[in-house]
Amino acid sequence: MTAADGVGVHAVFAALADETRWNILTTLGAGDLSASALAGMLPVSRQAIAKHLNVLTEAGLVESVKVGREIRYRALGGRLSALGHELERIGARWDRSLAAIKRLAEGRESGR
Amino acid sequence: MDPLDITRTIDINAPIETVWATITEPDLISQWFGNTTEFDAVSGGRGYFGWNAHGTFRVVVERVEPPHTLVYRWAHREADAEPTPHNSTVVCFDLTEIDGGTRLTLVETGFENLSDPQTAHGENSGGWTAELGDLVNYLKASA
């Protein structure tokens, strides 16, 4: 169990609707890093990194792990899957709707 | 553009006025979206999209520029409720004339403001890189 269990997929949307957080997440995707290491790699202050990591942790996208005396952050998969599925579902719904609009409009045209 | 927006484009071999009618006239909307429609394509116009199996979902038109732009907010997360940022998203249809017909571009935005606890439990482990790859591919494909 993590603090994020029970958080809706829309918390994930909110967490990712920020370019810096997206960059943090993709950077962590390549490997676990401490907040200081992240601050050294991204054009963002250490303080801002900490805030963003909090949001990502609450959304269940990131967890902290203790390695010796250092706290590192790790990107987590499940939330992204849920987000991906949600976007896919909505996109597929529009694909069907737009195909129907096309059929309908072209049908009305040829029926004139 | 926000990477979480849904964006779709389709080319239609019909004049722009025909496509405009298809996305704004209630009896035509019902043929591609839901089962029953009440829709008033004027700025501030109100109505609903109805599904026999799910109920009716209110819609408020935010912007209309015939025959090019239609923007509405619809509360698809809550049946029979007034649209708010927490239960609705904004859909924008943009029509442009192209050689032989009409290009329709659709953008749906506002997912980050939804407060819907529906999809709760995910497995918070492993496979992150592959999943991110899938997501990025998906976003690229839809861009």
Side-chain angles (χ1 to χ4, degrees):
Chain A
M1 291 291 282
T2 74
D5 283 348
V7 173
V9 72
H10 300 298
V12 180
F13 277 108
L16 289 179
D18 179 286
E19 207 183 331
T20 303
R21 285 199 288 274
W22 182 260
N23 287 340
I24 290 173
L25 195 58
T26 50
T27 305
L28 289 176
D32 302 354
L33 290 168
S34 69
S36 308
L38 275 168
M41 295 169 73
L42 298 170
V44 186
S45 73
R46 169 78 177 72
Q47 225 174 2
I49 292 272
K51 276 187 195 166
H52 288 307
L53 283 170
N54 258 338
V55 176
L56 289 168
T57 304
E58 276 170 24
L61 288 162
V62 158
E63 70 176 358
S64 57
V65 283
K66 223 171 170 200
V67 181
R69 297 178 58 185
E70 193 177 61
I71 292 175
R72 290 187 193 167
Y73 292 86
R74 171 178 294 164
L76 298 171
R79 293 284 136 179
L80 275 183
S81 294
L83 173 71
H85 290 153
E86 177 83 352
L87 287 172
E88 216 166 319
R89 191 184 64 74
I90 296 163
R93 185 192 72 204
W94 279 119
D95 286 337
R96 287 193 299 275
S97 295
L98 296 185
I101 291 174
K102 180 178 166 74
R103 276 196 306 276
L104 204 56
E106 291 177 355
R108 290 178 73 225
E109 215 38 46
S110 64
R112 277 190 182 177
Chain B
M1 196 192 82
D2 193 297
L4 298 179
D5 295 349
I6 302 275
T7 305
R8 289 290 192 275
T9 299
I10 192 167
D11 289 350
I12 300 172
N13 301 318
I16 193 166
E17 292 79 14
T18 304
V19 180
W20 179 256
T22 308
I23 63 170
T24 54
E25 291 179 13
D27 57 324
L28 292 173
I29 294 172
S30 297
Q31 292 181 50
W32 61 267
F33 205 64
N35 305 113
T36 52
T37 306
E38 195 175 294
F39 194 79
D40 190 9
V42 297
S43 187
R46 310 174 72 83
Y48 64 81
F49 302 125
W51 278 261
N52 296 340
H54 306 292
T56 59
F57 300 86
R58 289 188 206 171
V59 55
V60 177
V61 175
E62 297 201 331
R63 198 152 61 86
V64 183
E65 288 161 31
H68 293 287
T69 308
L70 171 68
V71 182
Y72 60 75
R73 179 178 278 284
W74 73 300
H76 52 90
R77 296 295 160 139
E78 211 178 330
D80 276 325
E82 190 62 20
T84 71
H86 302 295
N87 66 11
S88 67
T89 50
V90 174
V91 174
C92 173
F93 289 93
D94 187 65
L95 307 184
T96 52
E97 293 183 276
I98 55 170
D99 199 22
T102 306
R103 175 161 296 161
L104 185 162
T105 302
L106 170 126
V107 183
E108 185 167 11
T109 59
F111 295 102
E112 66 276 13
N113 295 320
L114 290 172
S115 58
D116 181 351
Q118 59 165 10
T119 314
H121 303 276
E123 284 178 28
N124 286 332
S125 61
W128 192 87
T129 308
E131 282 152 345
L132 179 66
D134 288 347
L135 180 63
V136 168
N137 286 338
Y138 167 78
L139 292 170
K140 272 189 200 148
S142 67

